[in-house]
Amino acid sequence: LGEPPPAGTVADPVVMAFLRRQRRLEEQNRRREASLAQRLHRFLRKKFYLFRRSALMTCISLRNLALGRPPLQQLAQEVAFANWRGEEEEARPEGGGGGQGDPEL
């Protein structure tokens, strides 16, 4: 219990749901027990990445309006770069895939 199944085995959906729920509960407990400095750091980090994503997506949208839509692959790379959340997401393999590919614009 508590460990993900080995890479070669087919996981039961009920077991995977249970493990996700357990991880979520552990994360909630860690957040509740965090110090004020840790909470402030987490808050500022979330706001930074929210602002960063908003600014990048706005720039991408304005460029697309002015110059037309770029190739789909380039657009996908730019959106993936805008969605990237740093080492926080790289630590979580299910984090939405923000660390995939080359994050350059």
Side-chain angles (χ1 to χ4, degrees), residues 90-103:
E90 290 171 357
R92 286 185 291 159
E94 308 141 8
Q100 296 170 340
D102 188 16

Side-chain angles (χ1 to χ4, degrees), residues 1-5 14-24:
L1 291 178
E3 294 182 9
V14 175
V15 172
M16 294 307 293
F18 175 75
L19 291 175
R20 276 193 305 271
R21 182 173 179 269
Q22 286 301 111
R23 274 189 299 244
R24 190 172 54 243

Side-chain angles (χ1 to χ4, degrees), residues 7-99:
T9 61
V10 177
D12 184 16
V14 175
V15 172
M16 294 307 293
F18 175 75
L19 291 175
R20 276 193 305 271
R21 182 173 179 269
Q22 286 301 111
R23 274 189 299 244
R24 190 172 54 243
L25 288 173
E26 289 171 4
E27 181 65 26
Q28 286 175 349
N29 287 338
R30 267 195 302 265
R31 288 180 191 162
R32 262 189 237 121
E33 296 168 0
S35 69
L36 182 62
Q38 290 170 328
R39 288 181 184 187
L40 179 63
H41 182 265
R42 182 174 182 276
F43 172 79
L44 292 175
R45 184 177 176 86
K46 281 182 70 172
K47 295 304 174 184
F48 168 76
Y49 281 110
L50 178 68
F51 179 77
R52 175 188 176 276
R53 182 181 187 280
S54 299
L56 288 172
M57 294 298 267
T58 300
C59 289
I60 291 168
S61 298
L62 292 174
R63 189 220 40 221
N64 291 351
L65 285 172
L67 304 175
R69 198 171 92 185
L72 201 54
Q73 183 180 9
Q74 178 185 348
L75 192 58
Q77 286 178 341
E78 291 170 350
V79 170
F81 178 73
N83 290 335
W84 183 70
R85 304 193 99 211
E87 64 274 356
E88 171 187 307
E89 192 164 286
E90 290 171 357
R92 286 185 291 159
E94 308 141 8

